[in-house]
Amino acid sequence: MKTVNTIKAVREQVNAWKQAGLKVAFVPTMGNLHAGHMTLLKKANELADKVVASIFVNPLQFGPFEDYDQYPRTPDSDSKKLSDNGCELLFLPSVEEMYPLGREQATLINVPVISEILCGQDRPGHFTGMATVVSKLLNSVQPDIAIFGQKDFQQLMIIRRMVLDLCMPVEILGAKTNREDDGLAMSSRNQYLSQEERQTAPLLYANLRAAANKLKDGDRNFSAIEDECIADLSENGFRPSYFEIRQAEDLQKPQSDAKEFVVITASWLGKARLIDNLVIEV
Ligand code: PAF
């Protein structure tokens, strides 16, 4: 695997591959790679001839009191995992390479409405920072396809809208959430959990499933279902920011006759902000 730090170098290599008729898939990450990321790489390898990954902890998507400084940075083990899993090119830019005018003067990409609800309400500016860096990464790498995890359901929806609205010539694909054996969705932030909290953490997914089962059974009393799950989580030491049933299509409040729902949550447990979701077709 080759590692490059500049936009010029990543573009040169990807252009050479594309000119040789090869299909290029891109997996953007913030590093600290786990089995969930390996699922993204697997999908990339299945769908394309060449796989590029990036590691960039994007300061723009962290709020002033969030975990940008503490976010786990493990470049050596990440490089090994990437090269062992079929990645041939790693783009590892510096903050200066991505934001040459400085953070204050960076052009921002804002995808309205959808960015303002759920996690957007909880983390003001987060999705603007995320969409900005994803657009810059896609413009830098210029892949045929790019793959993102479905655990970040709202992020994936925002990226799809941005790509459509800005006519970006790339296909966006989602990959299934990887879970630990007890159901906890894999995330770099799980390591902020104490041993005791780690035992409690699977309750988040258990509540998503409980809500999903009620929807499947025809229960449409959305707020009662949400309230019950929030109460159960709170009783068990979580601090839910939101736990909601939404339409999977657009993340708006659901109509009773919707055919696809998503139960979606962000909940704090100790120092970890856990997010997860479950899509249900009825
Ligand atoms: O999901 C992530 O890891 C990040 O939000 C992404 C898409 C790499 C942008 O920084």
Side-chain angles (χ1 to χ4, degrees), residues 175-225:
K176 213 170 136 256
T177 303
N178 264 62
R179 298 186 180 280
E180 305 289 354
D181 291 342
D182 57 14
L184 177 66
M186 289 187 188
S187 163
S188 302
R189 290 191 168 102
N190 291 349
Q191 55 197 277
Y192 299 158
L193 297 168
S194 70
Q195 260 182 8
E196 201 189 330
E197 288 157 359
R198 177 61 191 81
Q199 302 297 312
T200 314
L203 266 184
L204 195 62
Y205 183 53
N207 271 282
L208 291 177
R209 288 182 54 169
N213 286 336
K214 287 191 177 156
L215 291 170
K216 276 191 201 145
D217 290 346
D219 189 343
R220 294 293 177 268
N221 194 342
F222 302 124
S223 52
I225 301 174

Side-chain angles (χ1 to χ4, degrees), residues 28-30 37 56 58 61 130 133-134 137 148 152 155 159:
T29 81
M30 298 208 299
H37 295 105
F56 181 63
N58 172 34
Q61 70 188 75
M130 182 283 294
V133 85
V134 171
L137 289 168
F148 299 84
D152 299 280
Q155 166 172 286
I159 293 168

Side-chain angles (χ1 to χ4, degrees), residues 10-29:
V10 77
R11 254 188 207 163
E12 270 171 15
Q13 179 60 81
V14 173
N15 279 343
W17 282 335
K18 283 164 82 174
Q19 273 176 14
L22 299 169
K23 189 168 176 181
V24 178
F26 176 42
V27 179
T29 81

Side-chain angles (χ1 to χ4, degrees), residues 30 56-64 66 68-69 73 93-96 98-99 102-103 123 125-126 129-130 133:
M30 298 208 299
F56 181 63
V57 185
N58 172 34
L60 236 60
Q61 70 188 75
F62 289 79
E66 292 186 353
Y68 176 67
D69 290 330
R73 288 158 171 90
S94 63
V95 173
E96 293 71 33
M98 293 309 287
Y99 299 112
R103 290 173 54 174
R123 303 181 69 189
H126 165 67
M130 182 283 294
V133 85

